Amino acid sequence: MIKFDKDVLRTLKTLEKEGFETYAAGECVRGQIMGEKVYDWDLLTKAPLADLQRIFPDCQLLDEGKQSIRLDFTYEVPAKDEDEPVVIDGCIVDVRNFEGTIEETLKEMVFTVNAIADNPERTLVDPYGGRDDIRARLIRTVESCEEVFEKEPIHMLEAVRIAAELDFDLHKSIFEAIGNHWRVLLAQTDSGDVASVREEFENLLISDHAGKGLKMLTGTGLMAVILGEDVAGRMSMSDTNAFKTVCDNIDKTRPVRTRRLGLVYTAITKKRALAAIERLQFDKKTEEHLKDGVERIIDINFLNTDMEFKKFLFKYGNERYNYLNNLSKAMRIVYDQPSLKIESRNYMMKKIISGNEPVFVEDLVIDANDIMEAGITDSAEKAAELLEQVAALVHKNPANNHRDVLLKYAKKYSKNKLAAKTRYVKWVK
């Protein structure tokens, strides 16, 4: 028997009193067996959706086709100090109707470590040896893994992801079966069916043992599914060594999704990394960050002056710079690099913030209307272009952020294209 959260137990007993057989099942039971604190619970019940909504009128309907509801028992824990963040405690309970026997339903959970159910008023149900596999720290399938992977190839990647989350090993049968079937998942991904692959890979990377998971992906052949066969199969010696270093040390970094993705892709030659990024069809913002990481991570290490630093911020913005800076910090940990460059950038950023120094167009004392009213141009588009050009003056010296100075140079740049192009050049007399 496992230890139940009081709200989960009350929900389960309520359903049992109504005459509906009910069990906690899946990852929540696995977590309790392993001694973890569980916040997300899943209950399987014989109660149909109409009865669930009647018994729990304040529930949230999850998926009518799956006959499931959600009960939210979370609450805020008051902070002891006003400066401390608010902490959320409690649990979320998803309740789903099941048909047939509990043993048949548990078979649908694919892996033995998840195919366990419990009800303190009935019994713990473990028909496939899940507790033994938890003790042995093994990932094994309920049914023949060959059949499982043929039917649903994504379960191969799921097996590695669970192993990375739990620090478990793959059963020999699973390792061999993945070796026999990974090309099926590769073909699906090559055709553009990447959403589930991307989700499993991202969850693997933010797990506690991401390095182990990456090594499993490489050892089983699944890394070709993630990166593409051309990329994974043709890595140079330099790429291979860098990737191995990432595998060995990625767990030392904070489990931030885009940051750890950046660590993987920056270990690969730029051309191949860009192709691998496009392969998984990330959302626009993530793709921008990852491509920045591959193309510009070296650039930020050469921002040696205030002007170069402000120019970079102006061109790419704070959000993109912050991603690169944080990726650089993670790379310092992974590759055991000195921190001097990072400290220098942090100093320059602190100086900008503390001195309220102008960097962006919005920080200038003039705007495009001022340029047009001064008769320099009657084109709003040209005025905006000139406004971006005169920003170079405040990057060189914050004291240049004066109306007369900026308008003077806006007029100069409008007439002299060479002056505009060389505005960041420091001429030597």
Side-chain angles (χ1 to χ4, degrees):
M1 294 292 179
I2 64 172
K3 182 179 179 180
F4 279 79
D5 176 274
K6 65 181 189 311
D7 292 312
V8 178
L9 187 59
R10 185 171 64 251
T11 303
L12 185 150
K13 287 185 175 181
T14 298
L15 289 165
E16 286 281 348
K17 287 180 181 178
E18 290 279 341
F20 299 114
E21 180 183 356
T22 304
Y23 296 90
E27 293 182 17
C28 60
V29 176
R30 182 194 75 201
Q32 283 288 357
I33 291 173
M34 295 181 66
E36 300 171 353
K37 172 67 175 175
V38 176
Y39 297 96
D40 297 314
W41 290 78
D42 292 290
L43 296 184
L44 298 175
T45 182
K46 287 293 187 177
L49 181 60
D51 284 296
L52 289 174
Q53 292 177 300
R54 172 182 60 80
I55 298 168
F56 307 107
D58 296 328
C59 70
Q60 173 188 350
L61 181 63
L62 285 183
D63 188 331
E64 192 167 352
K66 291 186 178 180
Q67 301 277 302
S68 56
I69 63 167
R70 172 166 293 173
L71 303 172
D72 188 344
F73 296 110
T74 59
Y75 56 91
E76 292 186 1
V77 178
K80 296 180 180 179
D81 189 288
E82 62 180 10
D83 294 329
E84 293 182 1
V86 174
V87 176
I88 304 298
D89 205 346
C91 64
I92 299 289
V93 183
D94 291 344
V95 188
R96 176 169 65 90
N97 171 265
F98 76 96
E99 299 178 354
T101 66
I102 186 63
E103 290 80 7
E104 291 169 340
T105 303
L106 290 176
K107 185 183 293 187
E108 299 170 4
M109 296 188 177
V110 183
F111 300 101
T112 60
V113 294
N114 292 338
I116 310 172
D118 194 13
N119 178 328
E121 297 184 349
R122 293 178 182 271
T123 185
L124 188 141
V125 184
D126 181 19
Y128 308 107
R131 285 175 296 175
D132 289 339
D133 287 337
I134 289 173
R135 283 190 286 269
R137 306 183 72 80
L138 280 177
I139 301 300
R140 190 169 57 86
T141 52
V142 170
E143 300 180 283
S144 162
C145 48
E146 295 280 349
E147 295 178 5
V148 168
F149 297 155
E150 285 178 7
K151 182 189 264 187
E152 293 288 344
I154 192 61
H155 289 318
M156 290 184 281
L157 198 52
E158 184 183 0
V160 177
R161 187 260 301 167
I162 295 174
E165 290 177 345
L166 303 179
D167 193 20
F168 281 15
D169 293 318
L170 301 178
H171 189 273
K172 181 181 178 182
S173 61
I174 286 187
F175 194 92
E176 293 175 349
I178 292 176
N180 294 333
H181 296 283
W182 64 266
R183 285 189 175 277
V184 179
L185 188 56
L186 175 69
Q188 289 185 2
T189 313
D190 285 346
S191 68
D193 184 9
V194 300
S196 57
V197 169
R198 182 180 62 244
E199 181 180 1
E200 289 290 348
F201 182 53
E202 290 180 337
N203 287 333
L204 182 155
L205 282 181
I206 59 173
S207 67
D208 290 340
H209 305 279
K212 182 173 187 173
L214 289 173
K215 291 176 182 178
M216 285 183 176
L217 291 179
T218 303
T220 58
L222 285 172
M223 189 54 73
V225 175
I226 304 299
L227 301 178
E229 193 168 13
D230 285 345
V231 175
R234 299 181 181 179
M235 292 174 69
S236 66
M237 182 63 70
S238 175
D239 290 350
T240 301
N241 290 336
F243 186 78
K244 182 180 183 301
T245 302
V246 170
C247 292
D248 290 340
N249 298 309
I250 193 171
D251 296 341
K252 298 176 184 177
T253 67
R254 292 182 61 193
V256 179
R257 180 182 66 92
T258 52
R259 204 172 302 172
R260 285 192 169 180
L261 282 167
L263 288 171
V264 171
Y265 291 116
T266 53
I268 308 169
T269 305
K270 182 169 78 170
K271 182 178 179 181
R272 292 173 181 167
L274 293 175
I277 291 168
E278 291 184 358
R279 174 181 178 78
L280 289 191
Q281 300 175 21
F282 294 99
D283 63 89
K284 185 177 179 180
K285 181 60 66 178
T286 299
E287 181 176 312
E288 179 181 72
H289 283 329
L290 297 180
K291 288 184 175 180
D292 276 348
V294 170
E295 296 179 312
R296 298 184 175 89
I297 193 63
I298 295 178
D299 295 344
I300 67 168
N301 289 322
F302 290 92
L303 302 178
N304 298 317
T305 67
D306 289 349
M307 185 186 75
E308 292 168 345
F309 185 72
K310 291 175 182 177
K311 180 182 177 182
F312 190 91
L313 285 178
F314 179 81
K315 184 174 182 179
Y316 297 109
N318 275 322
E319 184 178 359
R320 292 171 73 179
Y321 165 74
N322 286 334
Y323 171 74
L324 287 169
N325 191 46
N326 286 325
L327 177 58
S328 177
K329 292 177 183 178
M331 292 176 73
R332 183 191 70 79
I333 295 170
V334 166
Y335 296 105
D336 193 24
Q337 298 169 338
S339 61
L340 185 61
K341 295 288 187 180
I342 296 171
E343 291 170 357
S344 175
R345 291 196 302 271
N346 289 344
Y347 172 77
M348 289 187 283
M349 178 64 83
K350 184 178 180 180
K351 184 180 175 184
I352 290 172
I353 295 172
S354 62
N356 198 27
E357 296 182 359
V359 174
F360 304 103
V361 166
E362 297 79 11
D363 301 328
L364 301 179
V365 296
I366 65 170
D367 59 22
N369 288 329
D370 293 317
I371 293 176
M372 295 173 69
E373 289 173 0
I376 297 172
T377 181
D378 57 2
S379 166
E381 183 178 347
K382 180 63 176 178
E385 179 184 338
L386 289 170
L387 197 64
E388 291 192 358
Q389 291 173 355
V390 298
L393 298 174
V394 300
H395 297 162
K396 289 182 177 180
N397 185 353
N400 287 330
N401 195 23
H402 283 282
R403 178 182 175 86
D404 292 344
V405 175
L406 297 181
L407 289 177
K408 173 186 174 182
Y409 276 86
K411 184 176 182 180
K412 178 180 179 179
Y413 293 157
S414 71
K415 295 180 178 180
N416 190 330
K417 292 183 179 179
L418 178 61
K421 287 184 178 179
T422 59
R423 60 190 182 276
Y424 280 105
V425 176
K426 299 183 80 173
W427 300 104
V428 178
K429 293 183 180 180

